[in-house]
Amino acid sequence: MFSPVVIKMIVRGLGETLYMTLLSTALAYVLGLPLGVILVITEKDGLCPNIYLNKILNVVINLTRSVPFLILLVAVLPLTRAIVGTTIGSSATVVPLVIAAAPFIARLVESSLKEVDIGVIEAAQSMGANPKEIIYKVLLPEALPSLIVGAAIAVTTILSYSAMAGFVGGGGLGTIAINYGYHRYQKDIMFITVALLVIVVQVLQEIGMKLAAVFDKRK
Amino acid sequence: MKNKEPIIRLLNLSKTFRGADNEVKALEDITLDIYAGEIFGIIGMSGAGKSTLVRCINFLEKPTKGTVIFDGQDLSTLTRSELYKVRQSMGMIFQQFNLLMQRTALGNICFPLEIAGWKKTEAEARAKELLELVGMADKADAYPAQLSGGQQQRVAIARALATNPKVLLCDEATSALDPSTTRGVLTLLKDINKRLGITIVVITHEMSVIEEICQRVTIIDNGRIAETGNVEEIFTKPKSVAARRLVFPEDKKIEQLMGSRCCRIVFDGNSSFEPIIATMVLEFRHTVNILFADTKNIDGQAFGQIVIQLPEAKSVADRMIGYLRSKGLTVEEVDGYV
């Protein structure tokens, strides 16, 4: 059906998409996870209340989240060039992806951590645990199943963002779909790339759900 | 008990919660001595401030005014890390058990030991010992979700005892448990008090819990101490209104329990002359109020009528009517007793 050249291109695109998505997710968690923790503990009734820091973080996160991804992508081009040395290709796309995903992940982490029963935290405090011990031994482990579900949501969202980056030569399946399907009307190539994206989302989502179930000891 | 040193001293303790535009005085001028080795009860209606009081003892809530002295140390003078250290010698258990859901029973008991800096192998050995103590040795690897309420509370007790605390604070520890499980947990607490000599502070709204295990009790009403004394004294001679309300709750109960529904029971000779109302009351364990009665025993048959006021609960009232009808009586609901 397709020439070996096209097949090779699609396989490479799939690889690039996975590379962008997984690397961006990992890096975005490096930023987003601590941010989420800080959001929760600096709340008024949190472990280390700090209303000002909390307000500032909230504003920054909301600002970043309200910029449409495509615009953010273009807006951070100078930064991307400074970090990666180029503005096209999959490595260059990782920069805006991380910037867009980190605040989103911070919110996901925040809501997961807020699910932890306040009574359990109080019990840990009554045993003389300090805030650091409560974060590492209570908040994060108790929220683990929910954090994993959040990660599945994050990774699939980042995947769809990465496809959007195809419009500005971001690499991966998104670029192929746009170059061939949109600019050259080769519907079959566009269809196969979209189908692949759907499958990748399904697989990632499924893995996340399975992992969450394995780590959930609450039932 | 009196000649012993108090392990917990509360002096003129007050706690005020500040809302956006109002102030709630949760505790006012609480002065209390709790002696080493005793089981001390704190009882009050819900909202009386007893949960706040127990949280002031380990400084989970900082009192607005007053002093908490634990084992000779004024808690307000301690640094944060000193306070964390002191909390390790005060265990606490809760109404909702508050176990870590992602850890096994053994892991939960290891938690305070990890905080106290124990080595893993030593912590596990100690945890096993404690599971034995609370009769849960076979459940070491079970997660809290796999345990019943009573079992979870036993694990929570083991966890609270792990670091050999001097005091065990129990915040409504049996309120989420059924009566027989409650008895089991209370027996365990009593046993621990005897074997380990640990001071136990019991917060509850149930008089029966105090009766079962406490030696001394204080009654909290509206954030203030209404009365403190030996349990027997307070039970036999309650002085304050709050104490009387707790000890003799029946005074009010009957009024509350009686509903507005009345019914007329007609005895027309179809039933034998037996104490039918009394039997019904015994059977249903609910009282009825006899408003009017005029019956005669004629040759072993009952004639006449009785008007009763039914209990408030609709299901009980309906079942009572059904019961009377099944005895061959004519029953009709009436507005008043005329």
Side-chain angles (χ1 to χ4, degrees):
Chain A
M1 186 169 134
F2 293 117
S3 70
V5 180
V6 172
I7 291 175
K8 209 178 149 200
M9 176 186 72
I10 289 175
V11 169
R12 226 189 79 196
L14 179 64
E16 281 175 5
T17 292
L18 288 174
Y19 159 78
M20 278 189 288
T21 305
L22 297 177
L23 181 64
S24 305
T25 308
L27 292 177
Y29 262 93
V30 171
L31 291 174
L33 186 65
L35 268 178
V37 171
I38 295 170
L39 274 178
V40 172
I41 63 171
T42 56
E43 267 197 351
K44 199 169 106 250
D45 298 317
L47 288 173
C48 315
N50 187 332
I51 308 163
Y52 297 107
L53 180 60
N54 190 270
K55 278 220 172 99
I56 292 168
L57 276 182
N58 268 305
V59 169
V60 170
I61 286 171
N62 287 343
L63 274 177
T64 327
R65 289 204 58 205
S66 47
V67 179
F69 178 64
L70 220 49
I71 293 171
L72 185 99
L73 194 64
V74 179
V76 299
L77 282 179
L79 181 68
T80 307
R81 186 172 289 120
I83 295 175
V84 190
T86 171
T87 58
I88 52 167
S90 42
S91 288
T93 310
V94 169
V95 176
L97 276 180
V98 170
I99 295 172
F104 172 60
I105 286 168
R107 285 278 181 241
L108 284 173
V109 169
E110 182 192 19
S111 86
S112 291
L113 296 184
K114 277 187 175 168
E115 283 170 32
V116 176
D117 184 0
I118 189 87
V120 178
I121 297 167
E122 195 181 34
Q125 285 175 320
S126 80
M127 288 178 254
N130 62 37
K132 193 178 138 201
E133 286 164 328
I134 291 175
I135 292 167
Y136 285 106
K137 287 176 183 286
V138 180
L139 275 180
L140 292 173
E142 287 291 297
L144 187 62
S146 173
L147 287 170
I148 294 172
V149 172
I153 297 172
V155 79
T156 49
T157 306
I158 291 170
L159 181 82
S160 71
Y161 279 2
S162 83
M164 235 187 269
F167 263 112
V168 290
L173 292 176
T175 299
I176 296 172
I178 285 157
N179 287 350
Y180 289 81
Y182 184 69
H183 295 302
R184 294 166 70 170
Y185 304 110
Q186 282 182 288
K187 292 224 176 74
D188 51 348
I189 293 185
M190 187 175 75
F191 177 79
I192 197 81
T193 52
V194 171
L196 277 173
L197 285 172
V198 170
I199 291 168
V200 172
V201 167
Q202 290 291 336
V203 169
L204 290 175
Q205 184 69 32
E206 203 52 32
I207 291 173
M209 290 305 166
K210 284 266 154 61
L211 274 178
V214 168
F215 284 104
D216 195 350
K217 308 297 184 191
R218 291 172 298 184
K219 41 189 177 262
Chain B
M1 212 54 81
K2 286 282 179 213
N3 47 16
K4 275 193 187 173
E5 269 296 290
I7 187 149
I8 299 168
R9 302 200 78 170
L10 308 179
L11 298 169
N12 309 104
L13 201 77
S14 295
K15 174 78 191 179
T16 310
F17 290 105
R18 282 198 179 82
D21 44 26
N22 63 331
E23 277 192 355
V24 182
K25 283 185 178 165
L27 295 172
E28 266 192 280
D29 202 22
I30 304 277
T31 296
L32 205 59
D33 279 349
I34 298 171
Y35 297 102
E38 72 174 333
I39 303 184
F40 189 87
I42 298 173
I43 189 170
M45 306 281 180
S46 49
K50 38 192 202 313
S51 280
T52 310
L53 179 58
V54 75
R55 278 163 181 73
C56 282
I57 295 178
N58 60 7
F59 256 50
L60 282 179
E61 293 284 3
K62 258 203 177 119
T64 321
K65 253 190 277 172
T67 318
V68 179
I69 296 171
F70 170 73
D71 208 16
Q73 283 175 294
D74 179 348
L75 293 190
S76 64
T77 63
L78 302 180
T79 64
R80 269 173 191 248
S81 58
E82 282 171 334
L83 180 63
Y84 296 145
K85 201 91 206 150
V86 164
R87 281 188 187 151
Q88 289 170 15
S89 42
M90 287 193 259
M92 186 167 183
I93 57 173
F94 304 84
Q95 180 171 5
Q96 296 304 333
F97 328 125
N98 293 348
L99 295 175
L100 295 154
M101 301 306 278
Q102 296 286 109
R103 284 195 183 210
T104 60
L106 194 79
N108 264 285
I109 303 172
C110 285
F111 180 81
L113 298 170
E114 286 168 25
I115 302 293
W118 287 45
K119 282 206 196 79
K120 194 167 182 250
T121 47
E122 285 169 18
E124 275 177 9
R126 170 79 179 140
K128 282 192 181 129
E129 208 179 287
L130 284 156
L131 277 172
E132 198 85 45
L133 177 79
V134 298
M136 294 280 295
D138 53 330
K139 298 286 185 192
D141 296 324
Y143 285 93
Q146 299 163 322
L147 299 173
S148 70
Q151 291 173 323
Q152 288 192 50
Q153 196 60 293
R154 280 170 188 269
V155 174
I157 291 171
R159 182 174 71 170
L161 295 174
T163 50
N164 271 318
K166 291 178 178 148
V167 172
L168 179 63
L169 307 171
C170 311
D171 184 19
E172 296 277 8
T174 57
S175 299
L177 303 174
D178 64 59
S180 82
T181 316
T182 294
R183 222 165 300 129
V185 169
L186 292 179
T187 312
L188 175 65
L189 288 176
K190 221 191 228 172
D191 184 49
I192 286 165
N193 168 258
K194 216 176 277 166
R195 275 162 65 178
L196 310 177
I198 187 174
T199 313
I200 300 182
V201 181
V202 177
I203 310 291
T204 182
H205 65 275
E206 292 168 311
M207 216 58 201
S208 57
V209 171
I210 301 284
E211 218 170 349
E212 182 92 27
I213 62 169
C214 295
Q215 284 124 27
R216 290 198 312 135
V217 63
T218 192
I219 295 168
I220 301 283
D221 187 40
N222 264 324
R224 290 174 173 277
I225 290 183
E227 209 168 329
T228 303
N230 288 327
V231 171
E232 293 138 64
E233 245 170 69
I234 294 205
F235 269 57
T236 47
K237 287 180 236 115
K239 293 186 202 85
S240 61
V241 180
R244 241 174 277 140
R245 208 165 49 215
L246 283 162
V247 178
F248 310 122
E250 287 82 7
D251 286 0
K252 247 177 109 188
K253 231 191 211 159
I254 289 172
E255 245 176 89
Q256 284 173 347
L257 283 179
M258 292 318 299
S260 49
R261 287 170 76 189
C262 298
C263 70
R264 186 200 314 273
I265 306 159
V266 181
F267 297 80
D268 52 9
N270 286 329
S271 66
S272 57
F273 200 81
E274 55 188 32
I276 198 153
I277 303 288
T279 314
M280 180 179 76
V281 166
L282 286 176
E283 201 143 299
F284 283 84
R285 292 175 173 276
H286 279 274
T287 52
V288 296
N289 199 8
I290 298 177
L291 301 173
F292 171 86
D294 179 20
T295 53
K296 283 189 192 98
N297 177 7
I298 301 175
D299 290 336
Q301 305 290 308
F303 286 91
Q305 53 171 299
I306 295 180
V307 178
I308 59 171
Q309 198 178 6
L310 295 164
E312 178 74 61
K314 187 175 184 304
S315 64
V316 179
D318 287 345
R319 266 165 42 226
M320 281 184 165
I321 293 174
Y323 173 87
L324 292 168
R325 287 196 174 130
S326 76
K327 296 285 172 190
L329 299 168
T330 309
V331 184
E332 53 175 9
E333 276 200 57
V334 290
D335 289 337
Y337 61 89
V338 276

